[in-house]
Amino acid sequence: MEKPNRNWASKREKKAQRLEKISNLLNGKYVETEKIVEVMEKLIAPGDKVVLEGDNQKQASFLSESLEKVDAEKVNDLHLIMSSISRPEHLNIFEKGIASKIDFSYAGAQSLRVAQMIEDGTMKLGDIHTYLELYGRLFIDLIPNVVLVAADKADKDGNLYTGFNTEETPTIIEAAAFKDGIVIVQVNEVVDSLPRVDIPGDWVDVVVKADEPYQLEALFTRDPQNITELQILMAMMAIKGIYA
């Protein structure tokens, strides 16, 4: 019996086909700030699993605002995956039909709106996870087609420096890059030389300089002198809740 022909590079070829759609918009790995919405419309397909970085360190705020601006006729029914739902546009994209399903870990200030949208049927709930469970599933059954993340700096080759706010960025990028997903990164600054390379440019497909630095509302900090009394209180309440 003749064995069927199998294409072991099908995912890689599909990724190449998507990237070809924006070849005229790229300068190396870079796209102009004002063209990011057009890039998203060409790279993100209906029904895609999309990871949007949003955590207790930093938010890919420029990319989340840009995602809200895409044409819902072109980009719709997305399965959004994110650890923290914390910005209004994270939910606006569901009301506009751009996204329909979500897997997440934490909602915080948006929790009431999330609950109402699920009850109204505007948002379909996958699961609510612990952070580690969510990150683990990115490599198993929630493998993303596209990820939208933030970094401090990038060089001309797309190598990334994440600064003090690394958090989940490497994990999200690895989950996509190692499975032929598309990695789109917003950066605060483009430089000739990085302090260090946290993520190699080979893992990155598109880099865009954001119109303003990413949103930073750190619950935790690596510099003890920057810890505020409010952050200490929040940490104590979280620990109390766990043990209660």
Side-chain angles (χ1 to χ4, degrees), residues 1 23 25 38 48 53 57 61 66 85 95 110 114 117 119 129 175 180 241:
M1 183 176 178
S23 59
L25 299 174
E38 182 181 355
D48 271 352
E53 183 173 17
Q57 285 284 348
S61 46
S66 300
I85 305 170
E95 293 177 341
Q110 302 294 335
V114 168
M117 291 177 71
E119 182 177 344
H129 313 73
D180 295 309

Side-chain angles (χ1 to χ4, degrees), residues 68-200:
E68 185 186 0
K69 296 175 183 176
V70 301
D71 185 348
E73 293 293 322
K74 299 177 181 178
V75 181
N76 52 69
D77 197 31
L78 300 181
H79 181 173
L80 199 64
I81 304 163
M82 58 191 310
S83 60
S84 176
I85 305 170
S86 54
R87 292 173 58 85
E89 69 266 15
H90 293 168
L91 298 179
N92 294 346
I93 61 175
F94 287 89
E95 293 177 341
K96 294 182 177 182
I98 297 167
S100 60
K101 184 177 181 180
I102 193 163
D103 278 79
F104 72 102
S105 295
Y106 176 75
Q110 302 294 335
S111 56
L112 180 60
R113 191 176 170 199
V114 168
Q116 188 63 56
M117 291 177 71
I118 292 173
E119 182 177 344
D120 294 343
T122 308
M123 172 189 290
K124 292 181 287 188
L125 177 63
D127 282 301
I128 302 175
H129 313 73
T130 64
Y131 285 96
L132 291 180
E133 179 188 17
L134 184 66
Y135 300 152
R137 288 187 64 185
L138 293 181
F139 295 89
I140 302 171
D141 62 334
L142 290 179
I143 298 171
N145 303 102
V146 180
V147 298
L148 309 173
V149 300
D152 271 25
K153 298 177 175 64
D155 64 15
K156 63 181 179 59
D157 297 317
N159 298 305
L160 304 179
Y161 169 68
T162 55
F164 295 110
N165 304 297
T166 301
E167 194 68 9
E168 62 194 21
T169 315
T171 302
I172 294 174
I173 290 180
E174 285 180 23
F178 292 3
K179 288 290 187 177
D180 295 309
I182 292 172
V183 177
I184 303 175
V185 185
Q186 70 169 78
V187 297
N188 296 343
E189 204 177 348
V190 180
V191 296
D192 293 328
S193 179
L194 298 174
R196 67 170 185 265
V197 174
D198 293 317
I199 296 168

